[in-house]
Amino acid sequence: MSRAVLSLGSNLGDSRSLLGAAVDGLGDTVVAVSPTYATPPWGGVEQDEFLNLVVVAEDADADAQEWLLRAQRLEQVAERIRAVRWGPRTLDVDVIVCDDVVSDDPHLTLPHPRAHLRAFVLRPWLDVDPDAVLGGVPVRDHLAALSPAERDGLRRVDAVR
């Protein structure tokens, strides 16, 4: 059984519907969906806030590369355009971890190299897996290590589905 943690975010178009459609697009693989958080944009590009959530998914037939392909397909369905790095997007789906896979492949680095710096990944992940570990460190410790401004910038909002 392959288990993946995926981070989903949107700040263009009907973000709630786009996130809900992406979760639905994962079908029966979905084990857990976190609450949704409104979060400030990350990466220094001026833009609207994001809606973010985390999905835990399992599929015996999927490896890390397959999870990446599924993430990319979901982004294509949402008509994501990659114009500006860390810029606004209809849908962003990142594979955060897949089982215990460690990869430095430039197309899929696992665990995700910046997940430990992103409250919008860590907080919702803890909501669905309080014992989660990232890179050998409990996710709660990664979250506690962030600045108060980073941690407190998240606002829980109504669920997308």
Side-chain angles (χ1 to χ4, degrees):
M1 181 63 61
S2 171
R3 182 179 179 99
V5 174
L6 308 172
S7 174
L8 286 68
S10 173
N11 75 338
L12 281 179
D14 183 351
S15 294
R16 286 182 192 284
S17 293
L18 289 162
L19 290 171
V23 172
D24 290 345
L26 290 166
D28 293 341
T29 68
V30 175
V31 173
V33 179
S34 77
T36 305
Y37 288 86
T39 64
W42 198 93
V45 176
E46 186 71 29
Q47 59 190 306
D48 292 335
E49 70 182 1
F50 277 81
L51 293 184
N52 290 96
L53 58 83
V54 164
V55 172
V56 177
E58 293 181 348
D59 188 338
D61 297 324
D63 61 8
Q65 289 296 324
E66 176 61 24
W67 287 115
L68 176 62
L69 290 173
R70 291 177 187 187
Q72 291 170 340
R73 280 192 293 260
L74 292 170
E75 291 176 347
Q76 289 169 350
V77 167
E79 298 179 357
R80 171 163 181 188
I81 297 171
R82 296 179 185 271
V84 177
R85 184 175 183 167
W86 295 320
R89 59 209 85 153
T90 55
L91 184 66
D92 182 39
V93 182
D94 288 330
V95 180
I96 304 302
V97 295
C98 179
D99 298 321
D100 295 326
V101 174
V102 175
S103 169
D104 61 1
D105 182 311
H107 298 289
L108 181 60
T109 305
L110 290 174
H112 189 287
R114 290 172 298 284
H116 69 287
L117 301 172
R118 296 177 172 172
F120 64 83
V121 172
L122 302 172
R123 175 70 262 159
W125 189 1
L126 281 175
D127 288 336
V128 292
D129 187 356
D131 298 320
V133 174
L134 175 63
V137 176
V139 168
R140 77 175 57 80
D141 292 351
H142 284 300
L143 185 61
L146 297 178
S147 73
E150 178 77 19
R151 284 192 314 268
D152 299 341
L154 280 67
R155 186 177 81 256
R156 195 166 164 170
V157 297
D158 293 337
V160 298
R161 18 178 300 179

